[in-house]
Amino acid sequence: MKKLDGLRHESRCNRLATTLCACPNVTPDATEQRSKTAFRPAEGFCVAKEAAGTRVEGADGEAGLRRGGTAMAGGNDFQWCFSQVKGAIDEDVAEADIISTVEFNYSGELLATGDKGGRVVIFQREQESKNRPHSRGEYNVYSTFQSHEPEFDYLKSLEIEEKINKIRWLPQQNAAHFLLSTNDKTIKLWKISERDKRAEGYNLKDEDGRLRDPFRITSLRVPVLMPMDLMVEASPRRIFANAHTYHINSISVNSDHETYLSADDLRINLWHLEITDRSFNIVDIKPANMEELTEVITAAECHPHQCNVFVYSSSKGTIRLCDMRAAALCDRHTKFFEEPEDPSSRSFFSEIISSISDVKFSHSGRYMMTRDYLSVKVWDLNMENRPVETYQVHEYLRSKLCSLYENDCIFDKFECCWNGSDGAIMTGSYNNFFRMFDRNSRRDITLEASRESSKPRAMLKPRKVCAGGKRKKDEISVDSLDFNKKILHTAWHPKENVIAVAATNNLYIFQDKIN
Amino acid sequence: MTMEVSAEAKRVMVQALSKLYSSRTQRGGLRLHRSLLLTLVLRSARDIYHSARAVAEDQGPLGAPAAEPQQRPAEEAMETSGAPEEIPVPTLEEPATRRESKDDKENESPAGAERQCRKRRGKTAAEPDFLPSKRARLDPGSERLPGRSGPGSCRGFRATLAPLAVSQAIAAF
């Protein structure tokens, strides 16, 4: 295990012997454990912090965390409970099993994951039945297929990784499901369909497939469809290749349901879902002289309602909104979103940590959210000069940037997501922590995806990181964080409070506990 | 204070270079975004380092002797990390070296220097990165050390070009 220079990894047993908070909204559950030491009710009460959700100046973010302001997330004060975990348990993780993308479909019935080995696994939610009221819609494996294989670019002598960078679902139009999956160079449209009937009674061949002797056929019959065991098939319907010189980082389906865009480091292409041999280049920021390169495209997304609008983020921390009606080549943006840099927080690594790793429109289409290394920002599309909300994800890491640069963690690309109502946002952190921010109440919560809290319907206990000074009993010090356990990919069900969190090779599903 | 800043700048630079070079052997090829970020860090660290050194020199001769031995390991590290064999950067530097030596025909020691440069790139001949080199080298942006020629000047070019070659490396990609 990689160890940070000068930082230690706290032993796991310390984390188990902690007190659960006594949140007033929670009824005691038989699965709760109490440690031998008395629990402290003050710890569990929800305290709204001034620091949470507002622009943090200087070290206020850290102090706010230490003040014990763990709070309920979500506008309705619901409790997150463990539901399921998928993936192998052993410590030795094969690199091919590391999950690289997670995405719910439009209805939330299906949940797709892609991994570094190029595989896609789709989970389907079980229908809630009266027989088993407690298993509120569990996700079970629906289909597994190999989407991409490693390839070799002979001209450049480069291996093309099979890692799935992104999966995006298409809106469902018939019985089959369609999704786009992409690696660094090639996008594929997959059709996932069910087959539960089989034709029997052919004239020309027997039941076992052998051809019948024509002379023995004395009568004709019409084949009938007989039920069979459900089979889910995935077949590649389109392959969109050879359009990207650089590594694809984003794909986004347009609201017209006919086109989609794909973005690499320097270019964005617009495709039609039916046409694979042509794509339109709509953004090209490659300079004539590559030595003058100053920024790259890091993410792109289509507007959820306006099919002519899309945004793309850059490594400089800026976002450009483009209108495809303005010109064929959208190199000139319609809107330019940039927050002036705070000169007091300048360091060696300012450029790296200001690089945006993800951009997501809200479901309403009025806002967009960007994730950089230390924070999440919500922007109003009508205001370009600064975000309307800034949330500190792990401000305590600002003083550790040098170590994070040494061990490469500073280059980690975290994603972010909205909940269905746009009232809450979620993003990942280290030590298998993930963070949720309630935009209305300005509360935030830190939760952990761990095997220890993986009992059925066990309530998740809010976590706290101690940035410095005296560490309280429940807190974890920054030096004890495991930077190999990073949560880069999370997804929120489009309609319900169900979340999927990818922790290395495991997929955790959490649901809220109502009643 | 300035010492710490310049020491940290050196460290950041050295790490940026080693990360850049090691990323070329990574699966999936060179990552443009990562290379760009590293180049930016490298440049800003280099600027900070030089400005910190300039401040130190301004502070008088007392500051200078302390600064000297500290700056050498960094430059040597920069150079020796420019030596690794499997990276195309030396091949990029070679045309540049040839270009420079064409302009400077008087000081050119063509066959010998280049042959020796190439030889040093071999696997067996490569010195470990962390050992300071006993050879003379050119400090980018400051005075030439007198009386050094041949392999010294060749390596000096390499030191000067290491940061530039990085952007050339990106250009090549």
Side-chain angles (χ1 to χ4, degrees):
Chain A
M1 199 194 321
K2 265 194 292 187
K3 293 219 190 290
L4 294 175
D5 189 20
L7 305 182
R8 292 173 301 108
H9 175 66
E10 190 174 58
S11 66
R12 296 168 86 79
C13 55
N14 285 347
R15 261 189 278 144
L16 289 173
T18 51
T19 14
L20 292 177
C21 71
C23 282
N25 295 348
V26 168
T27 54
D29 190 346
T31 58
E32 266 186 19
Q33 298 171 26
R34 306 249 158 161
S35 79
K36 294 209 170 69
T37 58
F39 66 87
R40 289 164 291 170
E43 197 101 4
F45 279 100
C46 309
V47 174
K49 301 196 306 268
E50 302 96 74
T54 57
R55 185 156 171 77
V56 171
E57 310 290 340
D60 279 346
E62 289 179 14
L65 283 167
R66 256 181 299 151
R67 260 202 310 267
T70 55
M72 307 286 207
N76 306 319
D77 281 347
F78 45 77
Q79 277 294 310
W80 289 105
C81 301
F82 171 81
S83 176
Q84 296 168 274
V85 59
K86 308 283 187 190
I89 303 176
D90 38 279
E91 293 286 319
D92 215 5
V93 178
E95 189 167 340
D97 293 335
I98 295 174
I99 298 171
S100 51
T101 184
V102 185
E103 188 82 358
F104 281 99
N105 75 337
Y106 282 76
S107 63
E109 183 209 351
L110 298 177
L111 175 61
T113 61
D115 63 24
K116 278 194 170 182
R119 286 170 306 220
V120 172
V121 180
I122 301 176
F123 301 92
Q124 184 188 43
R125 200 174 195 193
E126 297 297 329
Q127 298 297 327
E128 288 184 36
S129 66
K130 294 201 181 83
N131 302 335
R132 300 170 62 207
H134 288 300
S135 72
R136 275 188 63 233
E138 280 191 349
Y139 284 86
N140 296 320
V141 177
Y142 180 63
S143 174
T144 305
F145 56 93
Q146 185 76 32
S147 172
H148 287 74
E149 298 271 5
E151 288 173 30
F152 199 76
D153 181 340
Y154 295 98
L155 279 177
K156 291 186 190 167
S157 291
L158 286 178
E159 193 180 1
I160 299 169
E161 278 189 292
E162 68 277 28
K163 173 172 84 97
I164 308 294
N165 292 336
K166 284 286 180 336
I167 288 174
R168 290 286 182 261
W169 290 93
L170 265 56
Q172 192 175 10
Q173 284 167 337
N174 51 35
H177 299 277
F178 288 87
L179 61 77
L180 287 169
S181 73
T182 185
N183 69 348
D184 283 337
K185 297 287 184 183
T186 306
I187 305 139
K188 294 187 183 179
L189 175 70
W190 288 88
K191 175 181 179 183
I192 298 104
S193 49
E194 292 182 8
R195 188 197 289 255
D196 61 354
K197 291 185 187 57
R198 185 180 54 206
E200 286 179 19
Y202 284 102
N203 292 295
L204 294 178
K205 49 181 183 175
D206 283 338
E207 292 312 322
D208 45 5
R210 274 185 312 177
L211 288 173
R212 287 171 76 187
D213 193 356
F215 295 108
R216 297 195 188 276
I217 299 172
T218 52
S219 63
L220 289 177
R221 55 188 175 170
V222 176
V224 290
L225 289 174
M226 302 294 289
M228 58 178 263
D229 290 337
L230 178 67
M231 202 167 70
V232 181
E233 300 172 316
S235 59
R237 306 301 290 178
R238 306 271 187 277
I239 296 179
F240 306 91
N242 302 323
H244 286 280
T245 310
Y246 302 95
H247 299 294
I248 297 174
N249 53 53
S250 313
I251 49 174
S252 180
V253 182
N254 208 345
S255 53
D256 61 9
H257 303 163
E258 285 187 357
T259 58
Y260 74 95
L261 60 76
S262 60
D264 66 25
D265 292 318
L266 296 178
R267 298 192 179 99
I268 301 180
N269 293 333
L270 183 73
W271 301 83
H272 193 281
L273 284 164
E274 298 289 331
I275 300 169
T276 58
D277 60 354
R278 251 175 305 150
S279 72
F280 289 100
N281 175 247
I282 52 177
V283 173
D284 188 342
I285 63 168
K286 183 177 177 181
N289 184 359
M290 277 295 274
E291 290 185 31
E292 293 163 16
L293 183 71
T294 54
E295 66 181 329
V296 297
I297 298 169
T298 52
E301 200 181 38
C302 292
H303 192 278
H305 308 304
Q306 297 168 31
C307 58
N308 51 296
V309 171
F310 66 94
V311 293
Y312 67 94
S313 61
S314 84
S315 55
K316 274 190 174 173
T318 64
I319 309 102
R320 288 171 177 79
L321 183 143
C322 300
D323 188 332
M324 288 191 268
R325 296 172 301 187
L329 198 58
C330 298
D331 283 354
R332 286 171 61 204
H333 50 263
T334 305
K335 292 194 183 186
F336 183 69
F337 298 84
E338 183 179 31
E339 184 174 26
E341 194 193 347
D342 179 12
S344 64
S345 63
R346 187 121 184 88
S347 76
F348 285 113
F349 312 108
S350 297
E351 280 125 343
I352 302 184
I353 63 169
S354 63
S355 176
I356 292 175
S357 51
D358 194 19
V359 65
K360 291 265 170 50
F361 277 107
S362 65
H363 291 94
S364 63
R366 163 120 188 247
Y367 299 96
M368 66 178 176
M369 163 168 60
T370 57
R371 175 72 155 97
D372 50 72
Y373 190 64
L374 296 179
S375 68
V376 181
K377 297 178 182 173
V378 175
W379 303 76
D380 186 324
L381 292 189
N382 299 318
M383 187 160 76
E384 298 170 51
N385 59 349
R386 63 173 182 83
V388 288
E389 294 152 31
T390 300
Y391 302 95
Q392 300 301 329
V393 181
H394 36 217
E395 182 69 12
Y396 46 80
L397 294 183
R398 195 180 283 274
S399 53
K400 308 281 179 197
L401 290 179
C402 207
S403 311
L404 294 164
Y405 162 74
E406 265 178 74
N407 67 4
D408 273 356
C409 283
I410 206 174
F411 299 103
D412 287 335
K413 295 185 183 166
F414 292 94
E415 292 174 10
C416 52
C417 61
W418 298 86
N419 76 338
S421 65
D422 296 337
I425 57 184
M426 170 168 63
T427 189
S429 179
Y430 293 103
N431 207 67
N432 278 355
F433 287 173
F434 56 100
R435 303 264 284 142
M436 279 187 201
F437 303 95
D438 183 330
R439 296 178 62 212
N440 302 317
S441 65
R442 296 306 173 100
R443 291 172 180 167
D444 65 274
I445 195 170
T446 305
L447 299 171
E448 183 179 3
S450 70
R451 290 275 172 179
E452 281 89 16
S453 57
S454 301
K455 295 184 178 53
R457 286 167 288 120
M459 211 169 56
L460 287 185
K461 172 188 179 308
R463 313 294 299 177
K464 236 180 315 177
V465 177
C466 165
K470 228 174 139 204
R471 184 176 80 89
K472 291 194 198 132
K473 198 153 183 93
D474 278 350
E475 292 178 354
I476 295 175
S477 70
V478 180
D479 298 334
S480 313
L481 295 175
D482 188 346
F483 288 90
N484 292 320
K485 292 190 178 164
K486 46 192 92 170
I487 292 182
L488 304 172
H489 313 286
T490 60
W492 206 313
H493 191 290
K495 297 185 175 65
E496 296 180 27
N497 288 324
V498 178
I499 55 175
V501 172
T504 318
N505 62 327
N506 288 23
L507 183 72
Y508 287 83
I509 300 173
F510 302 107
Q511 298 187 13
D512 74 12
K513 179 179 184 176
I514 299 177
N515 302 325
Chain B
M1 184 58 197
T2 320
M3 291 308 140
E4 291 162 17
V5 167
S6 68
E8 204 189 342
K10 266 178 295 183
R11 230 175 98 213
V12 167
M13 276 194 293
V14 165
Q15 281 170 2
L17 277 173
S18 71
K19 283 182 202 293
L20 276 165
Y21 292 136
S22 65
S23 71
R24 288 178 157 268
T25 54
Q26 257 176 21
R27 228 181 137 227
L30 203 140
R31 297 270 153 188
L32 189 64
H33 184 199
R34 185 184 155 95
S35 307
L36 178 68
L37 292 176
L38 285 168
T39 313
L40 293 172
V41 164
L42 183 64
R43 283 190 195 146
S44 67
R46 186 186 58 181
D47 296 339
I48 291 171
Y49 169 69
H50 284 305
S51 63
R53 257 193 59 221
V55 169
E57 276 164 18
D58 285 346
Q59 280 169 1
L62 282 174
E68 269 273 287
Q70 270 181 352
Q71 90 206 19
R72 274 162 196 253
E75 286 149 20
E76 285 146 7
M78 271 172 66
E79 287 171 38
T80 49
S81 57
E85 58 290 340
E86 70 276 19
I87 289 100
V89 174
T91 57
L92 283 173
E93 291 172 312
E94 231 196 317
T97 316
R98 273 194 228 108
R99 216 189 312 130
E100 296 243 18
S101 51
K102 251 190 237 151
D103 297 338
D104 194 10
K105 284 206 187 289
E106 291 153 24
N107 296 331
E108 178 182 41
S109 43
E114 285 184 17
R115 212 186 300 130
Q116 293 214 0
C117 289
R118 254 183 240 121
K119 182 187 175 193
R120 204 163 295 121
R121 274 183 224 123
K123 258 188 167 47
T124 49
E127 301 166 70
D129 287 1
F130 50 87
L131 285 182
S133 162
K134 294 281 192 296
R135 302 215 157 70
R137 67 270 163 276
L138 218 49
D139 178 21
S142 85
E143 74 284 2
R144 279 175 182 268
L145 296 163
R148 312 286 168 93
S149 64
S153 61
C154 186
R155 289 180 71 86
F157 281 133
R158 202 174 294 144
T160 323
L161 291 170
L164 296 176
V166 158
S167 44
Q168 285 171 343
I170 294 181
F173 174 68

